Amino acid sequence: QVQLVESGGELVQPGGSLRLSCAASGFTVNSYAMTPMSWYRQAPGKERVLVAHIGSAEDALNYADAVKGRFTMSRNNAEKTFYLQMNSLKPEDTAVYYCVAHFLDGPDLWGQGTQVTVSS
């Protein structure tokens, strides 16, 4: 059974940093390496929005304008783990963050989410 589990969310002060992780299970290393991945977030009372997307090739990176220059995503295919490094955090970054696997031959797979709260 394929599964994604996010971790790393917590309360942090404005200007601080966090690194979110998304661990995949039920994938082979090769199938994971070929699967594009995304981070989404959903703030209270708002719709879920795309934060960052990475293709199977790590040079295929896209970031939402709101996080460009502050957030960096990466993936370790051997470990089947996907990361989001978040720097210079702002209160408006407060949200539940989800990782998503975009299968080429099936529906997207979502993790359960991890809460990030940026507040003094």
Side-chain angles (χ1 to χ4, degrees):
Q1 180 180 358
V2 293
Q3 189 176 9
L4 300 174
V5 178
E6 301 96 333
S7 61
E10 61 181 70
L11 172 64
V12 63
Q13 292 189 345
S17 297
L18 283 176
R19 188 175 82 154
L20 304 184
S21 300
C22 173
S25 59
F27 293 73
T28 65
V29 170
N30 286 340
S31 66
Y32 178 80
M34 293 175 62
T35 303
M37 304 288 293
S38 296
W39 286 99
Y40 278 75
R41 68 185 182 187
Q42 186 167 21
K46 296 189 177 180
E47 293 186 353
R48 199 171 290 185
V49 296
L50 177 67
V51 174
H53 175 86
I54 185 169
S56 54
E58 290 200 39
D59 58 348
L61 305 174
N62 290 289
Y63 295 92
D65 288 343
V67 307
K68 280 181 182 176
R70 300 188 298 121
F71 290 12
T72 304
M73 66 185 151
S74 60
R75 62 191 300 167
N76 183 325
N77 290 332
E79 297 291 330
K80 293 181 284 185
T81 305
F82 181 43
Y83 300 100
L84 184 67
Q85 178 66 44
M86 305 186 296
N87 298 327
S88 302
L89 283 161
K90 305 175 181 180
E92 51 263 43
D93 295 318
T94 295
V96 178
Y97 285 72
Y98 301 89
C99 67
V100 186
H102 303 285
F103 296 115
L104 301 180
D105 57 356
D108 291 345
L109 174 67
W110 290 72
Q112 84 290 348
T114 186
Q115 176 71 49
V116 172
T117 303
V118 184
S119 175
S120 56

